[in-house]
Amino acid sequence: MSQLGSSIPLSLYVHLPWCVRKCPYCDFNSHALAGELPATRYTDALLKDLKLALRDAPGRRISTVFFGGGTPSLFPASEIRRLLACLQATGLLEHGAEISLEANPGTIERHSFKAFAEAGINRISLGAQSFDPDILKALGRIHDPDDTRRAVDELVSAGIENFNIDLMFALPGQQTAGAENDLREALALGPAHVSAYQLALEPNTAFYRHPPQLPGEETAWEMQNVGSALLESHGYQQYEVSAFARAGRGCRHNMNYWRYGDYLGIGAGAHQKLTDAGGAIVRSRRRAHPGRYMREAGTDACIVEWRHVQNEERIFEFMLNGLRLRHGVDRELFETRTGLSWADLEPAAREARRRGLLAMHADGLRATDLGWRFLNDLQALFLPAERAAVSA
């Protein structure tokens, strides 16, 4: 297999689509649970789907696994164990692989994390979102701040020291002091990693249809700067737009996305990206509806989208992800992951430098402070149509 194949890291994403209640800002493929969770039936479907996915990446080893949702912590640890045991039996899961699970503090019962750890989970991402009870209600969350604190106590007792606390900022009615207080509350719990995302009003969400009153752009920017400074003063390095970690605790799974690695995706609505031996990049997507997914899992009928990524798309995809990283993008990585020449970037990169959004570094390019603030504008310069315009 060529360098554009077996040398590219491979991850596995597992989508568990159910949650207790759909949050008004959520645009993921998630479904409020009505009745009993079909955990065993769904895991049976995942095991069939895993076999199909591995067929697309013969012999390639998996370095990270991520259980996302929905609310994966609704699932019994026994079902998580069953899937991981099957993956382990293939011999394709790397020793020391990072295995993450998203958890909602409101769904954690006593000893849940101990059971998840025994099943093979070694990293948890805890969806705190805020420590303000009024804001949590406005966000439609089912937990309160004390649930988050109890969940962390359970994590520590279970021996899972590698955990992330997920926060959002620029929330309905929030001031800068409130966003800063959320971070201080999170820091008091000693996480290895903190994610801090600005709330976005995404199409097909309740908030998009009925927008709440949110802080203005200047206030949101102030929140981001204050938060970054606070986290860095406590020893957390910002390595991506929304991600801060203690040394050696960056999320390896997400880094693989941002560095244009490959990933298998199983579960309802899961996406997949694979680079084959000849350098062709193929994206595919599973059927989104959980019921139909369970009926069709393991068959080609479950794959509802399958397409080759053309060369002009690869530049934008790579830069869309890579420019999120504080370090930026490396020339060698661009060429080995896309199969393209660094010169293909130059017209758009030159325009970005002219606007003060992009700067050279020893091995490639990174966003300037201005580019970091207006990241969407910077990324858009690498869209095929924009590149064509600046090349004309």
Side-chain angles (χ1 to χ4, degrees):
M1 189 174 282
S2 72
Q3 191 173 26
L4 277 177
S6 62
S7 66
I8 296 177
L10 181 66
S11 295
L12 171 66
Y13 175 76
V14 184
H15 192 69
L16 307 180
W18 288 282
C19 51
V20 174
R21 183 170 65 204
K22 181 86 170 179
C23 295
Y25 57 84
C26 178
D27 69 335
F28 296 147
N29 181 37
S30 59
H31 303 261
L33 188 61
E36 186 177 353
L37 180 71
T40 299
R41 184 181 170 209
Y42 191 78
T43 305
D44 289 342
L46 288 174
L47 292 172
K48 295 175 186 176
D49 200 2
L50 177 62
K51 185 176 181 180
L52 182 70
L54 291 174
R55 181 195 69 182
D56 295 333
R60 292 182 63 180
R61 296 180 64 78
I62 294 168
S63 58
T64 69
V65 181
F66 196 100
F67 291 88
T71 304
S73 52
L74 285 175
F75 270 66
S78 58
E79 296 301 325
I80 303 296
R81 180 197 298 271
R82 190 155 67 98
L83 189 140
L84 289 175
C86 181
L87 178 59
Q88 189 73 52
T90 67
L92 297 176
L93 184 64
E94 289 184 356
H95 177 72
E98 176 190 88
I99 305 177
S100 302
L101 180 134
E102 290 181 334
N104 184 329
T107 64
I108 297 303
E109 299 176 359
R110 188 164 178 80
H111 303 310
S112 291
F113 285 127
K114 183 175 186 296
F116 283 131
E118 290 171 348
I121 300 297
N122 55 31
R123 183 179 183 275
I124 292 288
S125 184
L126 197 60
Q129 312 311 354
S130 177
F131 286 87
D132 183 316
D134 292 331
I135 285 181
L136 288 173
K137 289 178 183 177
L139 293 175
R141 302 297 289 176
I142 66 169
H143 71 276
D144 62 30
D146 284 339
D147 289 327
T148 298
R149 298 181 186 104
R150 282 191 290 267
V152 170
D153 286 343
E154 286 283 323
L155 276 169
V156 174
S157 295
I160 303 177
E161 297 179 357
N162 190 12
F163 68 94
N164 168 60
I165 291 183
D166 224 353
L167 294 173
M168 301 170 72
F169 66 91
L171 302 173
Q174 190 177 52
Q175 302 296 323
T176 300
E180 182 179 359
N181 184 68
D182 279 348
L183 286 170
R184 291 190 184 280
E185 292 274 10
L187 289 170
L189 300 176
H193 190 287
V194 176
S195 297
Y197 300 92
Q198 181 176 345
L199 174 63
L201 302 183
E202 302 289 356
N204 302 315
T205 66
F207 272 3
Y208 189 83
R209 293 188 294 271
H210 305 286
Q213 188 67 40
L214 301 180
E217 290 185 10
E218 290 300 321
T219 301
W221 180 243
E222 181 183 37
M223 290 177 179
Q224 185 170 332
N225 285 334
V226 168
S228 297
L230 176 63
L231 286 161
E232 290 179 352
S233 72
H234 282 74
Y236 293 81
Q237 179 185 4
Q238 184 177 23
Y239 65 97
E240 187 267 345
V241 170
S242 306
F244 301 77
R246 293 194 184 279
R249 292 300 198 180
C251 180
R252 289 158 49 191
H253 185 88
N254 286 343
M255 279 296 293
N256 193 38
Y257 292 149
W258 296 322
R259 291 169 62 84
Y260 210 52
D262 283 350
Y263 50 91
L264 303 174
I266 64 173
H271 291 247
Q272 181 168 290
K273 170 189 173 281
L274 285 175
T275 308
D276 70 14
I281 299 175
V282 175
R283 290 191 177 275
S284 59
R285 178 173 57 86
R286 266 55 176 170
R287 190 173 298 283
H289 189 275
R292 192 162 176 186
Y293 167 79
M294 287 188 284
R295 292 193 296 272
E296 297 178 348
T299 72
D300 288 333
C302 190
I303 312 300
V304 295
E305 182 181 351
W306 189 96
R307 66 180 183 86
H308 280 94
V309 180
Q310 302 303 316
N311 286 352
E312 60 269 19
E313 296 176 273
R314 296 183 190 192
I315 294 176
F316 175 67
E317 288 189 352
F318 184 93
M319 298 302 281
L320 178 70
N321 288 286
L323 288 173
R324 293 180 62 90
L325 296 171
R326 202 50 149 162
H327 171 74
V329 297
D330 293 338
R331 174 174 182 159
E332 181 180 2
L333 192 73
F334 172 81
E335 293 184 340
T336 57
R337 297 285 165 92
T338 66
L340 303 175
S341 166
W342 186 248
D344 295 327
L345 280 177
E346 184 49 35
R350 183 169 56 246
E351 176 62 16
R353 292 197 301 272
R354 186 188 71 80
R355 298 186 190 184
L357 302 174
L358 199 61
M360 302 288 293
H361 65 67
D363 303 310
L365 298 163
R366 62 170 178 80
T368 62
D369 288 342
L370 184 65
W372 197 251
R373 180 172 185 180
F374 297 102
L375 186 59
N376 288 344
D377 295 333
L378 171 57
Q379 292 164 327
L381 287 173
F382 294 91
L383 283 164
E386 292 294 327
R387 293 203 321 276
V390 299
S391 299

